[in-house]
């Protein structure tokens, strides 16, 4: 009886939490975005600057997510498979982007690569302009979403049975083939999940990007900064309209991910 | 020409000598049981044969070809891992076909080979299952089929039955023996179950503490164990503390002890097996100088025989008594006939038959 009660109240608590912290704000955004009807919503979204911002964001976020897929796999592999001094320290460092205010992340990139830094000047002198241009945005996005892929892959890598790899070798498969046919399929759910999360998060990144993007409308203005600008200029409906696009995209990604891998993880 | 030859193989893990000076050879098509206590170096030896572990010294040749420099991919071996190590995200068919695809066999040939192995291992109907949808015995057979598919020259199996319950295990090992003799592949399997080794293997290698203790057919090893370790490991031998209690053997023992001490070994160890002790009530057999008087100190029913412990002088002996005879009771006086015992000194061993018994047989023949 008590057990039942406990279960019931726990469940209600979770639902309440979900409603207040997730569902209500999401509905508020959809409500606001569509508050003036379909026509103004459509106009806000298809406004050339909004479209540019959205398209730029999607492109750069995708690039950042792909970079993280590769970089994260490599990092997770090294952290799990190799034993070297400082491994534990590096491992704890992976979470740094989550622990830092993202603005600090942006500032770090600015200080490292900005026009006043040694590295920034050197790169400019060979014709590579990074800060206030798209590459800086990608770097910021990669930095902020770095932990997703690593942390998604680590448990899977640790769980891998080394005997499976050895079996593959004894059956004649080379290291590369074994990685592709035996290891990668086992990592795929974590890799896709981590990459999608990184993509989702990169779409929404504000703090790190705003400091280094330059925010030139039509050129380096990403969606989140555009939304911020619309709110600042007393245009909440347009801000919400663009947010609705981002939100819907995120939801689609989450659902795809669940449909693809949910069943496997539920097993 | 031997099919598998191992010369003076050594392997150290840190300061631990896991395999030490192991040499042996195996004829084509034989099924070899690698037996020994836990930590004896069996897995390490097998992994070195497969190329999964690099030996510190020694040479291995398979099918007349030295494979020391070859990686596991090129040794032409099949390996069945203790936990099977099936590819979890592949179906039964994909698991079996893996090695063939890697070797770039033609599709039609792969299909044919896989079908052949499915039939051979009785896995028809399970083709599309994933490993987690199979029973332990079925997984074992998939692992076996997968290892066998690329037609290896040498099949290595590390405790193939360890994870399977006792009943299925018995069926599987008979199955494995048949299967291997049908395929004709030279095989080495690890076990620490002596019954399993004795039942399945053509020959047994016994390893302990990294060293090869003895190699021979199960019967040879049972009948003539070379070391005290093997005498106690195969069968439940009892160590004898004082040879003088076994009067019939005293003379032989003394002469062997003298010979041994001449060669510098003063420690003579003696063992007797329960199967070579006959216990009877005085009315069941004629009194004879070959037998000794004893007192029953423990009786236990063991399913297929009575397990009896008798006190003979200061020595307690363990023996079997067939169920066909009446059970003995505690404290009963019996006559104990020891047929043979095993003596060891240094590297040498002797089997000593009861001298009075052979004398008696001689007489009976004359009469
Ligand atoms: N990779 C390793 N690193 C360090 N020591 C090892 C390693 N592999 C095995 N050993 C040690 O080598 C010895 C032999 O091990 P091995 O696994 O060959 O024994 P085994 O005969 O297979 O035992 P079991 O019957 O328990 O499987 C053991 O003492 C073990 O602890
Ligand atoms: Mg082992």
């Amino acid at each position: 009886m008590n057990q039942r009660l406990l279960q019931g109240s726990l469940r209600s608590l979770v639902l309440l939490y979900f409603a207040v912290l997730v569902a209500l704000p999401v509905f508020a955004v959809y409500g606001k975005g569509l508050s003036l009807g379909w026509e103004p919503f459509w106009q806000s979204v298809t406004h050339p600057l909004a479209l540019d911002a959205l398209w730029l964001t999607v492109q750069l976020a995708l690039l950042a997510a792909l970079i993280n897929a590769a970089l994260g796999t490599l990092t997770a592999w090294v952290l799990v498979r190799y034993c070297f001094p400082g491994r534990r320290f590096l491992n704890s460092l992976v979470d740094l982007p989550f622990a830092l205010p993202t603005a600090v992340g942006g500032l770090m990139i600015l200080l490292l690569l900005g026009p006043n830094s040694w590295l920034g000047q050197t790169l400019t002198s060979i014709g590579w302009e990074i800060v206030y241009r798209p590459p800086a945005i990608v770097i910021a996005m990669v930095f902020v979403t770095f932990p997703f892929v690593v942390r998604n892959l680590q448990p899977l890598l640790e769980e891998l049975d080394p005997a499976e790899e050895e079996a593959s070798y004894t059956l004649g498969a080379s290291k590369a083939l074994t990685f592709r046919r035996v290891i990668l399929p086992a990592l795929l759910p974590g890799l896709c999940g981590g990459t999608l999360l990184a993509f989702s998060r990169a779409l929404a990144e504000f703090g790190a990007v705003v400091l280094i993007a330059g925010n030139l409308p039509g050129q380096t203005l990403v969606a989140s900064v555009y939304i911020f600008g619309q709110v600042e200029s007393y245009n909440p409906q347009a801000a919400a309209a663009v947010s609705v696009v981002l939100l819907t995209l995120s939801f689609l990604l989450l659902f795809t991910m669940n449909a693809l891998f949910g069943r496997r993880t539920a097993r | 020409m031997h099919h598998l030859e191992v010369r003076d193989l050594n392997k150290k893990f840190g300061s631990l000598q896991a395999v030490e000076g192991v040499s042996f050879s195996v004829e084509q098509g034989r099924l070899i049981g690698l037996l020994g206590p836990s930590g004896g170096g069996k897995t390490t030896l097998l992994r070195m044969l497969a190329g999964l572990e690099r030996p510190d010294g020694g040479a291995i040749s398979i099918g007349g070809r030295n494979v020391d420099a070859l990686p596991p991919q090129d040794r032409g071996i099949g390996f069945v891992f203790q936990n099977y190590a099936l590819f979890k995200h592949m179906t039964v068919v994909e698991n079996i076909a893996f090695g063939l695809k890697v070797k770039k066999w033609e599709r039609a040939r792969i299909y044919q080979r896989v079908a052949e192995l499915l039939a051979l291992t009785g896995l028809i109907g399970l083709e599309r299952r994933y490993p987690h949808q199979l029973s332990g015995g079925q997984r074992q057979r998939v692992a076996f089929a997968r290892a066998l598919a690329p037609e290896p020259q040498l099949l290595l199996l590390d405790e193939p039955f360890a994870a399977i319950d006792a009943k299925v295990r018995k069926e599987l090992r008979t199955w494995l023996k048949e299967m291997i003799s049908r395929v004709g592949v030279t095989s080495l399997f690890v076990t620490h179950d002596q019954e399993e080794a004795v039942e399945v293997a053509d020959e047994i290698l016994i390893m302990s503490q990294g060293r090869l203790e003895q190699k021979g057919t199960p019967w040879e090893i049972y009948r003539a164990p070379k070391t005290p370790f093997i005498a106690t490991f195969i069968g439940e031998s009892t160590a004898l503390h004082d040879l003088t209690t076994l009067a019939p053997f005293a003379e032989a023992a003394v002469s062997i002890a003298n010979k041994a001490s001449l060669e510098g070994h003063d420690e003579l160890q003696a063992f007797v097996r329960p199967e070579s002790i006959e216990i009877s009530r005085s009315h069941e057999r004629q009194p004879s100088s070959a037998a000794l008087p004893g007192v029953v100190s423990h009786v236990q029913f063991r399913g297929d025989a009575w397990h009896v412990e008798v006190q003979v002088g200061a020595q307690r002996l363990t023996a079997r008594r067939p169920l066909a005879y009446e059970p003995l009771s505690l404290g009963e006086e019996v006559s104990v006939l020891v047929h043979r015992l095993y003596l060891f000194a240094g590297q040498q061993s002797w089997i000593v038959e009861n001298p009075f018994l052979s004398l008696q047989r001689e007489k009976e023949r004359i009469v």
Side-chain angles (χ1 to χ4, degrees), chain B residues 280-297:
Chain B
S280 32
R281 290 202 162 116
S282 29
H283 67 266
E284 286 169 355
R285 191 160 25 83
Q286 306 262 313
S288 128
S289 45
L292 295 160
V295 177
V296 175
S297 58

Side-chain angles (χ1 to χ4, degrees), chain B residues 146-287:
Chain B
R146 180 180 70 176
L148 221 47
E151 298 170 344
Q153 302 186 50
L154 178 66
L155 186 64
L156 305 169
L157 308 101
D158 194 0
E159 307 211 21
F161 314 109
I164 293 171
D165 67 84
K167 193 177 168 299
V168 184
R169 200 164 160 160
K170 284 205 167 172
E171 288 168 23
L172 266 177
R173 65 194 189 207
T174 329
W175 173 84
L176 185 78
K177 189 177 168 69
E178 267 177 37
M179 207 57 30
I180 286 178
S181 69
R182 206 183 304 173
V183 177
V185 58
T186 313
S187 308
L188 231 88
F189 77 100
V190 169
T191 174
H192 48 230
D193 178 346
Q194 51 143 315
E195 191 191 320
E196 192 167 288
V198 166
E199 213 171 283
V200 178
D202 297 325
E203 270 185 290
I204 295 180
L205 299 178
I206 297 188
M207 276 189 86
S208 160
Q209 293 175 354
R211 277 188 302 275
L212 185 59
E213 298 262 337
Q214 189 171 357
K215 173 176 179 280
T217 63
W219 175 240
E220 276 165 14
I221 288 185
Y222 173 82
R223 237 201 81 83
K226 274 201 185 130
T227 65
F229 166 78
I230 293 173
T232 49
F233 191 69
I234 299 280
E236 317 165 29
S237 305
T238 314
L240 301 180
H241 313 299
D242 186 3
L243 274 174
T244 53
T245 47
L246 292 187
F249 292 96
E251 200 179 314
V254 165
S255 79
I256 285 174
N258 285 340
K259 205 159 57 170
S261 69
L262 272 185
E263 287 162 19
H265 308 295
D266 38 24
E267 192 75 28
L268 192 66
Q269 284 176 282
F271 296 90
V272 59
R273 289 192 196 282
E275 305 87 294
S276 45
I277 300 177
E278 221 180 292
I279 294 187
S280 32
R281 290 202 162 116
S282 29
H283 67 266
E284 286 169 355
R285 191 160 25 83
Q286 306 262 313

Side-chain angles (χ1 to χ4, degrees), chain A residues 209-259:
Chain A
V209 169
V210 73
L211 286 182
I212 50 162
N215 307 323
L216 274 180
Q219 287 172 40
T220 57
L221 184 67
V222 296
S224 60
V225 181
Y226 178 84
I227 293 169
F228 177 71
Q230 293 302 310
V231 172
E232 289 282 272
S233 45
Y234 303 103
N235 195 358
Q237 185 272 335
V242 174
S243 301
V244 162
V245 176
L246 286 184
L247 251 176
T248 310
L249 206 56
S250 288
F251 272 129
L252 284 179
L253 287 176
L254 278 178
F255 288 139
T256 328
M257 201 163 84
N258 258 323

Side-chain angles (χ1 to χ4, degrees), chain A:
Chain A
M1 198 57 220
N2 262 341
Q3 183 89 17
R4 229 4 125 71
L5 204 66
L6 185 71
Q7 266 185 20
S9 38
L10 267 182
R11 204 175 320 148
S12 330
L13 200 69
V14 169
L15 281 177
L16 187 72
Y17 171 88
F18 188 79
V20 171
L21 284 166
V22 183
L24 285 181
V26 166
F27 279 124
V29 169
Y30 276 94
K32 188 78 202 171
L34 297 165
S35 59
L36 303 178
W38 184 253
E39 202 54 34
F41 168 80
W42 189 246
Q43 270 172 10
S44 312
V45 171
T46 52
H47 186 282
L49 288 185
L51 271 185
D52 280 345
L54 280 170
W55 179 229
L56 180 75
T57 311
V58 169
Q59 279 178 303
L60 298 185
L62 193 64
L63 187 61
L66 291 179
I67 292 175
N68 261 335
L71 211 61
T73 309
L74 200 71
T75 311
W77 183 265
V78 170
L79 286 178
V80 171
R81 286 300 173 97
Y82 298 125
C83 237
F84 54 91
R87 184 177 70 152
R88 287 171 64 114
F89 177 68
L90 274 187
N91 189 31
S92 54
L93 221 55
V94 169
D95 286 326
L96 191 69
F98 281 173
L100 278 183
T102 53
V104 175
L107 189 64
M108 279 165 28
I109 295 169
L110 192 62
L111 292 179
L112 183 70
L113 298 173
N116 297 324
S117 72
W118 171 83
L119 196 57
Q121 283 168 0
T122 317
L123 288 175
T124 312
S125 71
I126 60 167
W128 285 12
E129 288 186 48
I130 291 181
V131 168
Y132 307 133
R133 322 210 118 249
I137 303 176
V138 175
I139 291 175
M141 286 173 166
V142 167
F143 175 81
V144 169
T145 59
F146 180 64
F148 283 113
V149 173
V150 180
R151 290 298 185 233
N152 261 290
L153 283 186
Q154 265 176 328
L156 293 178
L157 271 170
E158 273 157 14
E159 232 175 66
L160 273 187
D161 182 4
E164 259 185 69
E165 280 162 62
E166 291 178 337
S168 167
Y169 298 149
T170 61
L171 289 166
S174 65
K175 288 216 154 154
L177 192 66
T178 302
F179 184 81
R180 227 175 53 227
R181 297 279 316 274
V182 177
I183 299 175
L184 206 54
L187 299 185
L188 211 57
L191 185 58
C192 290
T195 309
L196 283 179
L197 276 177
F199 177 64
S200 252
R201 181 72 184 72
L203 279 182
E205 181 47 34
F206 176 79
V209 169
V210 73
L211 286 182
I212 50 162
N215 307 323
L216 274 180
Q219 287 172 40
T220 57
L221 184 67
V222 296
S224 60
V225 181
Y226 178 84
I227 293 169
F228 177 71
Q230 293 302 310
V231 172
E232 289 282 272
S233 45
Y234 303 103
N235 195 358
Q237 185 272 335
V242 174
S243 301
V244 162
V245 176
L246 286 184
L247 251 176
T248 310
L249 206 56
S250 288
F251 272 129
L252 284 179
L253 287 176
L254 278 178
F255 288 139
T256 328
M257 201 163 84
N258 258 323
L260 280 179
F261 305 111
R263 229 173 311 139
R264 271 199 228 181
T265 43
R267 192 179 70 213

